[in-house]
Amino acid sequence: MFSGKIAVDILSASNLPKSSKNLNLYVLIRVDSLEGCKTATVEETSNPVWKEKEVIHKENAEVIYFSIHDEKEEDIIAECTLSIRNLLVEQVGRDSVKLNQPLSPQGELEIEIHLEEDGKSSTLKRMKA
């Protein structure tokens, strides 16, 4: 399990499931059961660009869950889950891990994640990238 700072740059999403309308999209991030950060909503698009940074301090974290929602309908458009253990392995020798993470049922989420052990308790902070 990981205890420390999880910094996530949420850059963009592409190839999301087709819709007959443009969507108002945001990303919700959760770490384990901690209700998390929400990006700003990008309106009227199917290829959103956020360029936002979210910083989460969490003890005993195991997974990061990303879900892309349509603000109009509150529907989940696409989602993915990442193992923090796997991210730590990927980050060895690097400052951060850049991913074009596949989404279910379709699409990719472009993100960059930096993990730093610091033993702080669970708090949320939001900053613009």
Side-chain angles (χ1 to χ4, degrees):
M1 285 193 237
F2 172 84
S3 295
K5 181 174 82 171
I6 303 165
V8 181
D9 289 314
I10 301 144
L11 303 172
S12 65
S14 59
N15 302 317
L16 294 172
K18 300 290 182 212
S19 173
S20 60
K21 60 185 178 185
N22 282 332
L23 305 172
N24 296 339
L25 300 173
Y26 65 89
V27 177
L28 182 63
I29 304 168
R30 288 192 324 228
V31 176
D32 297 326
S33 61
L34 178 67
E35 273 305 318
C37 304
K38 177 183 167 187
T39 65
T41 300
V42 178
E43 296 182 356
E44 302 296 319
T45 186
S46 58
N47 292 298
V49 176
W50 290 281
K51 293 185 180 177
E52 291 187 28
K53 176 176 250 176
E54 305 292 347
V55 178
I56 301 166
H57 292 274
K58 181 77 170 80
E59 292 182 9
N60 302 318
E62 294 185 30
V63 296
I64 306 173
Y65 172 75
F66 297 88
S67 53
I68 299 176
H69 298 256
D70 177 14
E71 187 174 65
K72 293 177 192 174
E73 305 292 329
E74 284 301 317
D75 291 337
I76 295 177
I77 303 301
E79 60 191 341
C80 66
T81 303
L82 299 174
S83 161
I84 292 177
R85 178 181 298 170
N86 292 345
L87 290 170
L88 285 168
V89 170
E90 287 289 322
Q91 187 177 298
V92 170
R94 298 187 278 180
D95 186 50
S96 62
V97 178
K98 293 182 183 180
L99 300 168
N100 284 319
Q101 181 64 33
L103 296 166
S104 178
Q106 175 183 326
E108 285 188 347
L109 181 63
E110 183 183 4
I111 52 179
E112 184 170 354
I113 300 174
H114 172 77
L115 302 171
E116 181 180 320
E117 293 220 47
D118 65 5
K120 294 190 186 269
S121 62
S122 299
T123 59
L124 300 175
K125 292 183 181 178
R126 182 175 187 165
M127 303 181 309
K128 287 283 187 185

